mmCIF file of all heavy atoms in Angstrom:
data_model
loop_
_atom_site.group_PDB
_atom_site.id
_atom_site.type_symbol
_atom_site.label_atom_id
_atom_site.label_comp_id
_atom_site.label_asym_id
_atom_site.label_seq_id
_atom_site.Cartn_x
_atom_site.Cartn_y
_atom_site.Cartn_z
ATOM 1 N N LEU A 3 -0.346 -9.674 -16.078
ATOM 2 C CA LEU A 3 -1.056 -8.787 -15.170
ATOM 3 C C LEU A 3 -1.256 -7.411 -15.810
ATOM 4 O O LEU A 3 -0.328 -6.839 -16.360
ATOM 5 C CB LEU A 3 -0.266 -8.628 -13.862
ATOM 6 C CG LEU A 3 -0.092 -9.887 -13.027
ATOM 7 C CD1 LEU A 3 0.825 -9.604 -11.853
ATOM 8 C CD2 LEU A 3 -1.432 -10.400 -12.541
ATOM 9 N N PRO A 4 -2.466 -6.889 -15.733
ATOM 10 C CA PRO A 4 -2.688 -5.547 -16.277
ATOM 11 C C PRO A 4 -1.995 -4.515 -15.395
ATOM 12 O O PRO A 4 -1.934 -4.654 -14.186
ATOM 13 C CB PRO A 4 -4.208 -5.391 -16.207
ATOM 14 C CG PRO A 4 -4.650 -6.336 -15.173
ATOM 15 C CD PRO A 4 -3.673 -7.477 -15.190
ATOM 16 N N ARG A 5 -1.480 -3.485 -15.994
ATOM 17 C CA ARG A 5 -0.774 -2.446 -15.254
ATOM 18 C C ARG A 5 -1.512 -1.124 -15.369
ATOM 19 O O ARG A 5 -1.697 -0.616 -16.456
ATOM 20 C CB ARG A 5 0.626 -2.277 -15.829
ATOM 21 C CG ARG A 5 1.663 -2.528 -14.801
ATOM 22 C CD ARG A 5 3.005 -2.331 -15.386
ATOM 23 N NE ARG A 5 3.804 -3.403 -14.875
ATOM 24 C CZ ARG A 5 5.091 -3.366 -14.791
ATOM 25 N NH1 ARG A 5 5.746 -2.346 -15.262
ATOM 26 N NH2 ARG A 5 5.748 -4.348 -14.285
ATOM 27 N N ALA A 6 -1.912 -0.608 -14.229
ATOM 28 C CA ALA A 6 -2.514 0.715 -14.217
ATOM 29 C C ALA A 6 -1.391 1.740 -14.247
ATOM 30 O O ALA A 6 -0.313 1.509 -13.744
ATOM 31 C CB ALA A 6 -3.366 0.884 -12.960
ATOM 32 N N GLU A 7 -1.642 2.853 -14.845
ATOM 33 C CA GLU A 7 -0.611 3.877 -14.980
ATOM 34 C C GLU A 7 -0.188 4.457 -13.642
ATOM 35 O O GLU A 7 0.927 4.888 -13.482
ATOM 36 C CB GLU A 7 -1.110 4.990 -15.903
ATOM 37 C CG GLU A 7 -1.287 4.544 -17.335
ATOM 38 C CD GLU A 7 0.009 4.098 -17.978
ATOM 39 O OE1 GLU A 7 1.055 4.706 -17.733
ATOM 40 O OE2 GLU A 7 -0.040 3.119 -18.737
ATOM 41 N N THR A 8 -1.083 4.495 -12.663
ATOM 42 C CA THR A 8 -0.769 5.140 -11.401
ATOM 43 C C THR A 8 -0.417 4.158 -10.290
ATOM 44 O O THR A 8 -0.194 4.574 -9.171
ATOM 45 C CB THR A 8 -1.946 6.006 -10.930
ATOM 46 O OG1 THR A 8 -3.086 5.165 -10.755
ATOM 47 C CG2 THR A 8 -2.243 7.097 -11.925
ATOM 48 N N TYR A 9 -0.396 2.885 -10.553
ATOM 49 C CA TYR A 9 -0.062 1.912 -9.502
ATOM 50 C C TYR A 9 1.391 1.519 -9.596
ATOM 51 O O TYR A 9 1.867 1.243 -10.668
ATOM 52 C CB TYR A 9 -0.929 0.662 -9.619
ATOM 53 C CG TYR A 9 -0.621 -0.348 -8.531
ATOM 54 C CD1 TYR A 9 -1.188 -0.213 -7.287
ATOM 55 C CD2 TYR A 9 0.251 -1.399 -8.756
ATOM 56 C CE1 TYR A 9 -0.905 -1.111 -6.285
ATOM 57 C CE2 TYR A 9 0.543 -2.305 -7.756
ATOM 58 C CZ TYR A 9 -0.033 -2.163 -6.517
ATOM 59 O OH TYR A 9 0.255 -3.046 -5.524
ATOM 60 N N PRO A 10 2.069 1.450 -8.528
ATOM 61 C CA PRO A 10 1.745 1.933 -7.194
ATOM 62 C C PRO A 10 2.115 3.401 -7.062
ATOM 63 O O PRO A 10 3.128 3.850 -7.561
ATOM 64 C CB PRO A 10 2.598 1.077 -6.285
ATOM 65 C CG PRO A 10 3.807 0.745 -7.096
ATOM 66 C CD PRO A 10 3.329 0.683 -8.520
ATOM 67 N N SER A 11 1.279 4.120 -6.384
ATOM 68 C CA SER A 11 1.525 5.542 -6.205
ATOM 69 C C SER A 11 2.293 5.827 -4.920
ATOM 70 O O SER A 11 2.692 6.955 -4.674
ATOM 71 C CB SER A 11 0.196 6.297 -6.188
ATOM 72 O OG SER A 11 -0.620 5.809 -5.145
ATOM 73 N N ARG A 12 2.479 4.800 -4.102
ATOM 74 C CA ARG A 12 3.245 4.916 -2.854
ATOM 75 C C ARG A 12 3.805 3.540 -2.518
ATOM 76 O O ARG A 12 3.691 2.612 -3.318
ATOM 77 C CB ARG A 12 2.373 5.464 -1.735
ATOM 78 C CG ARG A 12 1.151 4.616 -1.445
ATOM 79 C CD ARG A 12 0.277 5.267 -0.386
ATOM 80 N NE ARG A 12 -0.963 4.568 -0.243
ATOM 81 C CZ ARG A 12 -1.154 3.475 0.494
ATOM 82 N NH1 ARG A 12 -0.146 2.943 1.148
ATOM 83 N NH2 ARG A 12 -2.326 2.910 0.563
ATOM 84 N N SER A 13 4.395 3.406 -1.346
ATOM 85 C CA SER A 13 5.032 2.135 -0.987
ATOM 86 C C SER A 13 3.998 1.013 -0.874
ATOM 87 O O SER A 13 2.827 1.239 -0.570
ATOM 88 C CB SER A 13 5.799 2.273 0.325
ATOM 89 O OG SER A 13 4.906 2.524 1.386
ATOM 90 N N VAL A 14 4.453 -0.198 -1.122
ATOM 91 C CA VAL A 14 3.624 -1.390 -1.040
ATOM 92 C C VAL A 14 4.039 -2.164 0.204
ATOM 93 O O VAL A 14 5.236 -2.328 0.463
ATOM 94 C CB VAL A 14 3.807 -2.273 -2.299
ATOM 95 C CG1 VAL A 14 3.031 -3.564 -2.183
ATOM 96 C CG2 VAL A 14 3.395 -1.504 -3.544
ATOM 97 N N SER A 15 3.070 -2.631 0.981
ATOM 98 C CA SER A 15 3.353 -3.403 2.185
ATOM 99 C C SER A 15 2.971 -4.857 1.965
ATOM 100 O O SER A 15 1.870 -5.154 1.507
ATOM 101 C CB SER A 15 2.558 -2.862 3.378
ATOM 102 O OG SER A 15 2.969 -1.566 3.692
ATOM 103 N N LEU A 16 3.886 -5.750 2.283
ATOM 104 C CA LEU A 16 3.616 -7.184 2.256
ATOM 105 C C LEU A 16 3.546 -7.658 3.701
ATOM 106 O O LEU A 16 4.543 -7.591 4.422
ATOM 107 C CB LEU A 16 4.732 -7.929 1.517
ATOM 108 C CG LEU A 16 4.973 -7.558 0.062
ATOM 109 C CD1 LEU A 16 6.147 -8.347 -0.492
ATOM 110 C CD2 LEU A 16 3.734 -7.822 -0.764
ATOM 111 N N LEU A 17 2.393 -8.116 4.146
ATOM 112 C CA LEU A 17 2.232 -8.576 5.518
ATOM 113 C C LEU A 17 2.327 -10.084 5.581
ATOM 114 O O LEU A 17 1.709 -10.799 4.773
ATOM 115 C CB LEU A 17 0.887 -8.120 6.090
ATOM 116 C CG LEU A 17 0.878 -6.751 6.749
ATOM 117 C CD1 LEU A 17 1.215 -5.663 5.765
ATOM 118 C CD2 LEU A 17 -0.408 -6.491 7.447
ATOM 119 N N ILE A 18 3.124 -10.556 6.549
ATOM 120 C CA ILE A 18 3.342 -11.986 6.743
ATOM 121 C C ILE A 18 2.858 -12.341 8.139
ATOM 122 O O ILE A 18 3.158 -11.634 9.096
ATOM 123 C CB ILE A 18 4.835 -12.339 6.651
ATOM 124 C CG1 ILE A 18 5.455 -11.792 5.382
ATOM 125 C CG2 ILE A 18 5.043 -13.842 6.736
ATOM 126 C CD1 ILE A 18 6.956 -11.936 5.361
ATOM 127 N N GLY A 19 2.158 -13.433 8.279
ATOM 128 C CA GLY A 19 1.676 -13.881 9.581
ATOM 129 C C GLY A 19 2.643 -14.803 10.294
ATOM 130 O O GLY A 19 2.233 -15.505 11.221
ATOM 131 N N TYR A 20 3.882 -14.819 9.880
ATOM 132 C CA TYR A 20 4.877 -15.712 10.466
ATOM 133 C C TYR A 20 6.046 -14.917 11.031
ATOM 134 O O TYR A 20 6.283 -13.771 10.651
ATOM 135 C CB TYR A 20 5.385 -16.698 9.415
ATOM 136 C CG TYR A 20 4.273 -17.525 8.819
ATOM 137 C CD1 TYR A 20 3.769 -17.230 7.558
ATOM 138 C CD2 TYR A 20 3.704 -18.570 9.517
ATOM 139 C CE1 TYR A 20 2.735 -17.960 7.007
ATOM 140 C CE2 TYR A 20 2.669 -19.314 8.987
ATOM 141 C CZ TYR A 20 2.187 -19.010 7.732
ATOM 142 O OH TYR A 20 1.158 -19.730 7.204
ATOM 143 N N ALA A 21 6.799 -15.555 11.914
ATOM 144 C CA ALA A 21 7.918 -14.899 12.591
ATOM 145 C C ALA A 21 9.056 -14.587 11.628
ATOM 146 O O ALA A 21 9.250 -15.279 10.629
ATOM 147 C CB ALA A 21 8.428 -15.789 13.717
ATOM 148 N N PRO A 22 9.824 -13.540 11.920
ATOM 149 C CA PRO A 22 10.986 -13.210 11.088
ATOM 150 C C PRO A 22 12.035 -14.313 11.158
ATOM 151 O O PRO A 22 12.197 -14.970 12.181
ATOM 152 C CB PRO A 22 11.533 -11.928 11.708
ATOM 153 C CG PRO A 22 10.488 -11.429 12.636
ATOM 154 C CD PRO A 22 9.616 -12.572 12.982
ATOM 155 N N GLY A 23 12.745 -14.506 10.067
ATOM 156 C CA GLY A 23 13.837 -15.471 10.028
ATOM 157 C C GLY A 23 13.464 -16.844 9.518
ATOM 158 O O GLY A 23 14.327 -17.661 9.243
ATOM 159 N N GLY A 24 12.177 -17.108 9.356
ATOM 160 C CA GLY A 24 11.745 -18.397 8.844
ATOM 161 C C GLY A 24 11.818 -18.442 7.323
ATOM 162 O O GLY A 24 12.130 -17.441 6.661
ATOM 163 N N LEU A 25 11.534 -19.592 6.755
ATOM 164 C CA LEU A 25 11.609 -19.760 5.306
ATOM 165 C C LEU A 25 10.659 -18.817 4.576
ATOM 166 O O LEU A 25 11.035 -18.194 3.574
ATOM 167 C CB LEU A 25 11.310 -21.210 4.931
ATOM 168 C CG LEU A 25 11.342 -21.531 3.440
ATOM 169 C CD1 LEU A 25 12.743 -21.267 2.885
ATOM 170 C CD2 LEU A 25 10.935 -22.951 3.188
ATOM 171 N N THR A 26 9.443 -18.676 5.076
ATOM 172 C CA THR A 26 8.478 -17.783 4.430
ATOM 173 C C THR A 26 8.983 -16.353 4.438
ATOM 174 O O THR A 26 8.915 -15.650 3.421
ATOM 175 C CB THR A 26 7.115 -17.863 5.139
ATOM 176 O OG1 THR A 26 6.679 -19.219 5.164
ATOM 177 C CG2 THR A 26 6.080 -17.011 4.440
#
């Protein structure tokens, strides 16, 4: 993967469409 010098400049969010506590 190419890496930009300024990425990430802040927090990264991972959104999941499934309920907490499951395998995913």
Side-chain angles (χ1 to χ4, degrees):
L3 296 174
R5 239 181 222 203
E7 293 297 322
T8 60
Y9 181 82
S11 59
R12 59 184 172 83
S13 65
V14 176
S15 295
L16 300 177
L17 272 63
I18 308 171
Y20 302 102
L25 180 62
T26 304

